[in-house]
Amino acid sequence: MLEPREVREKFRAGLRVPTSGYCPGFAQANLLSVPKEYAYDFLLFAQRNPKSCPILDVTEPGETSAAIFTGDLRTDLPAYRVYRDGELVDERAEVTSLWRDDLVSFLIGCSFTFESALLEAGVPVRHIEAGTNVPMYRTNRECRQAGSMSGPLVVSMRPVPADLVAAAVRITSRYPAVHGAPVHIGAPGLLGIDDLAEPDFGDAVEVKQGEIPVFWACGVTPQAAVMRSKPSFAIAHAPGHMAITDARDSTYQIP
Amino acid sequence: MLEPREVREKFRAGLRVPTSGYCPGFAQANLLSVPKEYAYDFLLFAQRNPKSCPILDVTEPGETSAAIFTGDLRTDLPAYRVYRDGELVDERAEVTSLWRDDLVSFLIGCSFTFESALLEAGVPVRHIEAGTNVPMYRTNRECRQAGSMSGPLVVSMRPVPADLVAAAVRITSRYPAVHGAPVHIGAPGLLGIDDLAEPDFGDAVEVKQGEIPVFWACGVTPQAAVMRSKPSFAIAHAPGHMAITDARDSTYQIP
């Protein structure tokens, strides 16, 4: 089993994969780096939307590593997205040449963190079985605004057999720092999701007979806020291609 | 049983009491109001020290109520402390005349919130039995710094019978937003507390034979940070004299 440092080295060397199932036992994180002038608004946005934006760590301006991520934030994720004025302008393997001294980086909890616990309890995780990226959807639910930052809630979806939905709720509830309990169970239409086969990010997965689509708040929500709120510049992970931290899953587990 | 609104009216009319045991079922909160120029540093300080400074709500500058507190933040707490350049300069029943349009108010989780759950489980809460304020102590543990904000961890202490300490841990762990699990159990000397009979805030309580002093991170930590970090101005609750919110305890309970 590779250590987080070793996996980050592979990503730095060019490996590009969704990270679900990688480095089980270690927490994964969403990345958002914005110029300092936007940092307060984003930190407040996160505080006001803790289900979708649970902050695990925040760097000082310009820093390229963090307390829970001793790698290099510019190179050690498998893929990055770059936004200018809210427009996605690039997807890249590294962002060293774009880095700025005024970038404050936020590491935000990721639901991949509790997938090991789901698997251990016998709850299947379809996108791991399929070897694809988790499906993610923009919803019709509005986040609480904070200054210049606003946007819709983004959710990830996992199909869960009906008799295991309660177990999935109970298990993921114990990880509030990585999105915690589902925000919605069944009835995707009520979230404004017309077709589960057409995710806004990631890959569609099969929902089998007797399975219920279960929706968790997703750390791509900050990127949806960037698209809406149009800060002059932002760097983020490519959805599903997360920062592998040095923090153990158990750090974020409530008994 | 009085509703939060009714209790707040009593405080507004002049009642001055520690709020432990008041309005059971509703969350209580610490208050810190600082000028906008300090808001980012404090929000980051809170994020980096979530055990002692779990943020429940943040106002816009100048606002006198909050999403979880529909009363008036200037009058509806039983008592306030006022700091100038880090010095405690006043303790007052209300702060209307001192209010400023640039004050950002932080409502921070309070361990009084989980005391009902402790009592229901048969864990005695000594300061409620005694009708006094909870004892609070500055420790030798340093919080993680954020910009201009630094300071020591402050803890509250409850003596717990040795055979109920595990239950107290299990129960309070379920409330991470109001300090969660204890930070220290027994051995007050290791926290730099020489004499439990001399708390830095609140009132001493008896530790009976067979009881262990159990320490939870405390929302007075922000006031200790104000004393160390010396922002030009700050308003806080008087320790133990909390904001009674409209949010139910269960909002903050993890299953």
Side-chain angles (χ1 to χ4, degrees), chain A residues 47-48 55 58 60 173 254-255, chain B residues 48 55 58 60 173 254-255:
Chain A
Q47 190 284 320
R48 287 181 175 165
I55 300 272
V58 185
E60 295 299 313
S173 297
I254 301 297
Chain B
R48 288 182 176 167
I55 301 271
V58 185
E60 295 298 315
S173 296
I254 301 297

Side-chain angles (χ1 to χ4, degrees), chain A residues 113-125 128-129 160-161 163-175 216 253:
Chain A
T113 305
F114 57 54
E115 290 178 341
S116 305
L118 288 173
L119 291 170
E120 274 169 32
V123 179
V125 178
I128 293 183
E129 292 169 2
V160 178
D163 61 349
L164 289 173
V165 171
V169 171
R170 182 176 53 78
I171 290 159
T172 60
S173 297
R174 298 173 71 196
Y175 294 89
W216 280 266
Q253 183 192 309

Side-chain angles (χ1 to χ4, degrees), chain A residues 36 39-40 43-44 47-48 55-60 67 104 106 144-147 169-170 173-174 176 254-255, chain B residues 36 39-40 43-44 47-48 55-60 67 104 106 144-147 169-170 173-174 176 254-255:
Chain A
K36 174 76 166 69
Y40 179 70
L43 189 54
L44 190 57
Q47 190 284 320
R48 287 181 175 165
I55 300 272
L56 303 184
D57 211 347
V58 185
T59 68
E60 295 299 313
V104 177
F106 298 87
R144 276 185 73 190
Q145 183 169 357
V169 171
R170 182 176 53 78
S173 297
R174 298 173 71 196
I254 301 297
Chain B
K36 174 75 165 71
Y40 179 70
L43 189 54
L44 190 58
Q47 190 284 321
R48 288 182 176 167
I55 301 271
L56 303 183
D57 211 348
V58 185
T59 68
E60 295 298 315
V104 176
F106 298 87
R144 274 184 74 190
Q145 183 170 356
V169 170
R170 183 176 52 78
S173 296
R174 299 173 70 195
I254 301 297

Side-chain angles (χ1 to χ4, degrees), chain A:
Chain A
M1 195 76 83
L2 295 179
E3 292 289 305
R5 182 182 48 77
E6 295 168 313
V7 171
R8 292 193 298 249
E9 277 168 14
K10 286 181 178 289
F11 296 154
R12 195 183 316 153
L15 178 64
R16 190 207 146 100
V17 285
T19 51
S20 175
Y22 267 71
C23 266
F26 289 90
Q28 302 201 16
N30 300 270
L31 173 68
L32 184 70
S33 303
V34 291
K36 174 76 166 69
E37 65 185 293
Y38 302 103
Y40 179 70
D41 281 359
F42 180 69
L43 189 54
L44 190 57
F45 181 80
Q47 190 284 320
R48 287 181 175 165
N49 299 284
K51 287 284 278 188
S52 52
C53 309
I55 300 272
L56 303 184
D57 211 347
V58 185
T59 68
E60 295 299 313
E63 278 187 344
T64 56
S65 61
I68 63 164
F69 184 92
T70 56
D72 189 323
L73 289 167
R74 301 167 299 182
T75 56
D76 291 4
L77 279 66
Y80 296 82
R81 288 192 165 180
V82 181
Y83 296 88
R84 292 191 191 275
D85 299 321
E87 294 283 317
L88 175 63
V89 293
D90 204 359
E91 184 157 323
R92 312 165 51 105
E94 52 80 26
V95 291
T96 307
S97 63
L98 303 174
W99 202 253
R100 295 166 34 163
D101 286 346
D102 66 344
L103 287 180
V104 177
S105 296
F106 298 87
L107 291 170
I108 299 151
C110 171
S111 58
F112 291 173
T113 305
F114 57 54
E115 290 178 341
S116 305
L118 288 173
L119 291 170
E120 274 169 32
V123 179
V125 178
R126 183 65 30 79
H127 61 273
I128 293 183
E129 292 169 2
T132 57
N133 199 351
V134 68
M136 295 163 268
Y137 307 85
R138 272 196 196 83
T139 71
N140 58 11
R141 303 297 160 99
E142 192 64 15
C143 289
R144 276 185 73 190
Q145 183 169 357
S148 61
M149 276 288 185
S150 68
L153 170 69
V154 176
V155 293
S156 63
M157 189 279 285
R158 293 165 186 79
V160 178
D163 61 349
L164 289 173
V165 171
V169 171
R170 182 176 53 78
I171 290 159
T172 60
S173 297
R174 298 173 71 196
Y175 294 89
V178 293
H179 303 304
V183 291
H184 215 263
I185 296 171
L190 294 179
L191 288 176
I193 301 170
D194 295 328
D195 185 357
L196 288 175
E198 298 281 350
D200 295 299
F201 310 92
D203 304 313
V205 294
E206 186 190 4
V207 182
K208 296 181 181 168
Q209 191 73 22
E211 291 183 337
I212 307 298
V214 179
F215 300 93
W216 280 266
C218 177
V220 172
T221 301
Q223 294 192 49
V226 163
M227 291 180 222
R228 165 91 65 80
S229 314
K230 305 187 194 310
S232 58
F233 186 64
I235 291 173
H237 68 289
H241 299 68
M242 317 306 293
I244 308 279
T245 78
D246 302 292
R248 292 191 178 273
D249 293 354
S250 57
T251 313
Y252 302 111
Q253 183 192 309
I254 301 297

